[in-house]
Amino acid sequence: MSATVGVLALQGDVPEHRDLLVRVPGIGSVLEVRTPEHLERVGALFLPGGESTTVSRLLDEFQLREPLLRRLREGLPAFATCAGLITLAKEIEPSPHGRDPSPLGILDVRVRRNDYGRQVDSFELPLRFPGLGEAEFLAVFIRAPRILRTGPRVEVLATDGKSPVAVREGRIWGLTFHPELAGDIRLHRWFLESTGVLPSAPGVAGASPRAG
Ligand code: GLN
């Protein structure tokens, strides 16, 4: 079996997700999604980090907002990182300075943008995940949003010690950090296996930090 997965390719770190995904066993092709027609062809969608106000504007310009929301409501598995998470959030705390993106409202979290500081305040944090066994995952935070509230159906997968940094609600996952920058395929793979896009290979996801 081989799956076609998509990366929303309007803006942001699209190549980083694509380069990681082509290393995941079982993935047949990785499609850069820019049109509603592309969206119909993918079995899962990755929403990269970038700038959420720009992504929000481009979703409208490329006429993707409604088709994307429809596919997500129908159960399309989605893996959203940083600006991607902001794009899917139910609520964004209004920013004191300037414009805010219009989120899709499909993931029941409230977020505050840029709450971990500016670009120069970027940092790495080793995290533990239930699906990855004992081995830690090195999470890279860049102008990350903070998750302030999670709804009753939202499961917290990891925290920074204070706030959730990885959550899932059904088949929709949201991460405040950038797993695509660590060169580590395990979270992408775990997501694809646990949402049934790829068959599960027990034990493989947690085998080693650079598995695959
Ligand atoms: N701060 C950005 C935003 O609010 C997100 C940063 C990122 O994706 N690394 O859109």
Side-chain angles (χ1 to χ4, degrees), residues 85-99:
L85 161 68
I86 298 168
T87 303
L88 298 188
K90 187 162 181 183
E91 295 166 12
I92 300 174
E93 189 164 277
S95 141
H97 11 253
R99 272 180 339 114

Side-chain angles (χ1 to χ4, degrees), residues 180-197:
E180 71 283 6
L181 296 183
D184 187 337
I185 68 170
R186 290 176 300 151
L187 279 180
H188 286 64
R189 186 174 190 175
W190 176 33
F191 159 75
L192 289 166
E193 291 181 354
S194 71
T195 51
V197 179

Side-chain angles (χ1 to χ4, degrees), residues 2 11 14-15 46 48 65 74 83 101-102 111 114 134 157 164 188 191:
S2 75
Q11 188 266 342
V14 177
F46 291 77
R65 184 178 293 270
E74 286 168 1
S102 306
V111 296
N114 304 318
E134 288 301 304
L157 298 173
H188 286 64
F191 159 75

Side-chain angles (χ1 to χ4, degrees), residues 65-80:
R65 184 178 293 270
E66 286 313 314
L68 176 55
L69 201 49
R70 178 179 53 74
R71 284 231 57 199
L72 293 171
R73 286 194 179 125
E74 286 168 1
L76 178 71
F79 184 97

